[in-house]
Amino acid sequence: MDKDISIYIIGAGFAGSTIAHEISKKEIFGKVLAYLDDDEKKIGTKIDGIPVLGPIEESVKLIRITAEDEALIAIPTIDSERLHQIYLALKTAGFSKIKILPTVSQIVDGSAHLVQTREINPQDLLARTPIKIPLKSSLAYLSGKRVLITGAGGSIGSEIARQLLSGGASRLYLFGHGENSIYQIHKELLHLQEGGVGENAIIVPVIGELKDEHYMQYIMKKLNCDVVFHTAAYKHVPMMEDNPVAAIENNVFGTKNLLDACVECNVKRFVLISTDKAVSPISVYGFSKMLNEKMVLDYAKKTRDSSYMFVRFGNVLGSRGSIFPLFVSQIEKGGPVTITDMKMIRYFMTIPEACSLVLQTGGVGTNGSSYLLDMGEPVNIYETAKQLIRYMGYVPEVDIPIQIIGKRKGERLEEYLYSKDEEITPTKYPKILKLQNNEKNFPLDEVLDKLAPYCIYNENKKDLYRNREKMVNYIKENFLTKE
């Protein structure tokens, strides 16, 4: 950001004034010319010499805007509808550079830092208004602890890592097998710390492989961690349908290796991130996550004074491989936007909100328990695509065509958050539901024994090794729901 850039901060509250103060100390970031606010008590006043203009929609029309000017939306309590209104007003007035404080900065006790700002994107405008969670107090259970995040370079894992900066953990272990993604989140967290975000946790990148049983035993003993958030998984449904042995090898036996090591090393808290695709699964990926849930509950019986649990939720906005980044990319290229079916519906939650709820659940959840995040009402994907096209300044089916391509392998028109064998009950924590499974005993050990030769070489069963047809037939005939 150049020092000659003029910055207009939308919101003259605590977050906005904190950002303005930081900019004034670091003149290289530009100069704040004014606040824009709707509060009649603030309009016409000055904060540290900076005038407060308003109301927002009226005052923005009076500003002479250049191509270099920036607008920064800093309203922690803003809902998605109001955000969209302000965004349209800023775009209409001529702002091409519009930034926003991400949701995490709104959740963590109102703290705000310039380093957290980022370009606004269409997903911000489509998201429902997240609940406010007192994350700092929710993370008190992690104070002074060593915390490991598997899949730390992924969408969920990296956001958990960002939020954990404010948790008071003594060490954050960023575990993953992709060096580039782990490098990126490690660099980002160090940058956030340098910008004043969070506390002084030691951040340690760890490149490793869940599928390596001996390595997992070694590294868990070496790290001596207290808490594990297990987000790592192969999760692209059609790709896993084409690579089913890899899905089972990584998701099932990788998780088993991790659980074995955690129990051996007396890890006190283990939180598995699960998915609605584990409910009455129709895909190999969904089946692998269903097994993960059952494994965690089984291992909970083997722990000593510990809390092993899983948290299940539906789709998240903006995760890698999800429809929203795909739609944005397709719109930017002029279309077509590809839709599976006009009747397809999905539950959606923002990544920061889902991660905040997961972190909260990790502190209040009990051993051997299952939890479900309240995803609100499902949305129609076709209607959402049209809405996204409009938000990006185009007319659906006129400027940007929409193409129906049909269901891919492993997809269903509607996902279910819980099965007919499960009951949900509220907890005292908003958006966190408890799951009670009434299913009869599941032969977990037998299933794992059946699957093992397909993924782990056994001289006595070498004809089964990597035999995808036999493995898939076994899974389909015994566990997948017919659609």
Side-chain angles (χ1 to χ4, degrees):
M1 202 182 282
D2 191 275
K3 65 180 180 179
D4 295 326
I5 291 173
S6 297
I7 303 168
Y8 296 86
I9 295 180
I10 317 305
F14 175 77
S17 59
T18 301
I19 293 291
H21 180 68
E22 190 173 353
I23 291 172
S24 69
K25 289 198 316 185
K26 304 174 180 178
E27 292 183 359
I28 57 169
F29 291 115
K31 183 177 181 180
V32 178
L33 291 195
Y35 295 100
L36 277 64
D37 204 289
D38 290 326
D39 188 342
E40 292 181 359
K41 295 179 181 177
K42 294 177 181 175
I43 295 171
T45 65
K46 289 186 177 182
I47 300 175
D48 294 331
I50 300 171
V52 180
L53 310 178
I56 295 170
E57 275 91 338
E58 296 302 317
S59 57
V60 74
K61 297 174 184 175
L62 306 176
I63 299 173
R64 279 191 173 183
I65 299 164
T66 71
E68 296 301 315
D69 291 349
E70 289 190 358
L72 199 164
I73 302 172
I75 308 175
T77 56
I78 198 166
D79 60 38
S80 55
E81 183 178 350
R82 183 66 183 131
L83 177 61
H84 184 223
Q85 292 168 349
I86 292 174
Y87 173 77
L88 287 179
L90 294 171
K91 291 291 285 185
T92 303
F95 279 104
S96 59
K97 297 179 180 179
I98 303 173
K99 290 191 173 183
I100 189 171
L101 284 171
T103 309
V104 63
S105 69
Q106 300 162 10
I107 292 173
V108 183
D109 296 342
S111 62
H113 297 274
L114 187 64
V115 71
Q116 293 172 300
T117 60
R118 59 166 171 75
E119 297 290 332
I120 194 169
N121 64 57
Q123 293 158 38
D124 297 312
L125 307 175
L126 285 167
R128 71 180 187 183
T129 303
I131 62 168
K132 292 188 69 176
I133 298 171
L135 195 58
K136 215 155 195 175
S137 60
S138 294
L139 295 182
Y141 72 99
L142 297 171
S143 180
K145 299 293 192 293
R146 296 173 176 234
V147 184
L148 180 139
I149 307 159
T150 71
S155 305
I156 298 293
S158 60
E159 180 60 22
I160 285 178
R162 291 182 196 100
Q163 296 193 22
L164 278 173
L165 277 183
S166 299
S170 64
R171 286 176 184 258
L172 292 182
Y173 296 115
L174 310 176
F175 185 97
H177 64 197
E179 63 163 330
N180 288 332
S181 60
I182 295 298
Y183 169 78
Q184 290 296 335
I185 185 60
H186 180 234
K187 182 174 73 171
E188 180 185 340
L189 295 183
L190 293 178
H191 183 55
L192 286 169
Q193 282 186 326
E194 290 168 1
V197 177
E199 302 182 28
N200 293 322
I202 297 171
I203 304 169
V204 184
V206 181
I207 303 300
E209 185 56 74
L210 289 172
K211 293 179 287 187
D212 187 332
E213 175 187 0
H214 301 292
Y215 170 78
M216 291 311 300
Q217 289 286 336
Y218 163 80
I219 198 66
M220 293 305 289
K221 288 176 184 175
K222 192 83 172 174
L223 300 181
N224 191 29
C225 52
D226 305 288
V227 182
V228 171
F229 290 95
H230 182 33
T231 82
Y234 290 159
K235 53 178 68 75
H236 296 281
V237 174
M239 185 177 290
M240 290 305 100
E241 290 298 284
D242 290 334
N243 296 271
V245 178
I248 298 300
E249 180 186 24
N250 185 74
N251 294 1
V252 176
F253 290 101
T255 296
K256 184 179 185 301
N257 292 339
L258 176 63
L259 282 165
D260 283 336
C262 286
V263 171
E264 177 69 24
C265 299
N266 199 24
V267 170
K268 292 300 183 184
R269 285 186 181 272
F270 184 100
V271 183
L272 166 73
I273 306 302
S274 192
T275 168
D276 54 3
K277 293 174 180 62
V279 179
S280 303
I282 66 167
S283 65
V284 173
Y285 165 65
F287 169 69
S288 74
K289 296 301 288 185
M290 180 193 77
L291 281 187
N292 281 176
E293 292 183 351
K294 295 184 183 303
M295 290 162 66
V296 168
L297 300 185
D298 183 65
Y299 274 76
K301 303 170 187 173
K302 306 174 184 179
T303 60
R304 306 186 300 274
D305 304 319
S306 300
S307 296
Y308 282 45
M309 68 196 78
F310 72 77
V311 184
R312 182 193 299 163
F313 51 91
N315 296 49
V316 286
L317 285 166
S319 63
R320 289 183 195 167
S322 74
I323 59 170
F324 284 92
L326 173 63
F327 284 174
V328 170
S329 173
Q330 290 174 336
I331 293 167
E332 289 174 342
K333 292 176 182 177
V337 171
T338 55
I339 303 291
T340 296
D341 191 288
M342 290 180 70
K343 295 180 180 178
M344 176 173 274
I345 61 174
R346 287 291 184 269
Y347 293 91
F348 282 104
M349 180 179 279
T350 67
I351 293 173
E353 183 179 16
C355 291
S356 296
L357 290 166
V358 165
L359 289 168
Q360 185 178 34
T361 306
V364 302
T366 56
N367 191 44
S369 293
S370 317
Y371 297 93
L372 172 69
L373 301 188
D374 182 349
M375 302 293 295
E377 294 299 317
V379 298
N380 179 278
I381 300 301
Y382 177 67
E383 293 301 323
T384 302
K386 291 199 295 184
Q387 189 179 15
L388 182 59
I389 291 168
R390 292 190 195 100
Y391 282 176
M392 294 182 68
Y394 302 100
V395 178
E397 302 288 21
V398 176
D399 302 318
I400 305 292
I402 298 177
Q403 180 182 349
I404 308 300
I405 61 173
K407 285 196 298 182
R408 299 176 297 173
K409 287 191 289 186
E411 281 190 325
R412 59 182 12 146
L413 292 183
E414 179 181 359
E415 299 287 1
Y416 307 101
L417 296 175
Y418 57 97
S419 73
K420 64 181 185 333
D421 295 317
E422 294 174 319
E423 296 176 7
I424 56 170
T425 54
T427 67
K428 65 179 182 179
Y429 304 96
K431 300 292 183 184
I432 299 175
L433 305 170
K434 191 164 186 178
L435 278 170
Q436 180 65 47
N437 195 314
N438 300 317
E439 182 187 42
K440 302 301 180 186
N441 289 336
F442 183 85
L444 180 61
D445 291 338
E446 178 187 324
V447 174
L448 294 177
D449 287 343
K450 277 273 193 183
L451 293 172
Y454 298 108
C455 305
I456 304 164
Y457 185 78
N458 183 329
E459 183 66 32
N460 297 323
K461 298 180 180 179
K462 56 186 177 183
D463 59 312
L464 297 181
Y465 184 64
R466 317 310 286 192
N467 191 324
R468 53 177 287 165
E469 288 79 13
K470 280 192 175 182
M471 189 193 77
V472 170
N473 284 338
Y474 166 69
I475 294 171
K476 280 184 176 179
E477 290 171 7
N478 293 279
F479 306 106
L480 297 191
T481 300
K482 305 295 187 294
E483 287 268 303

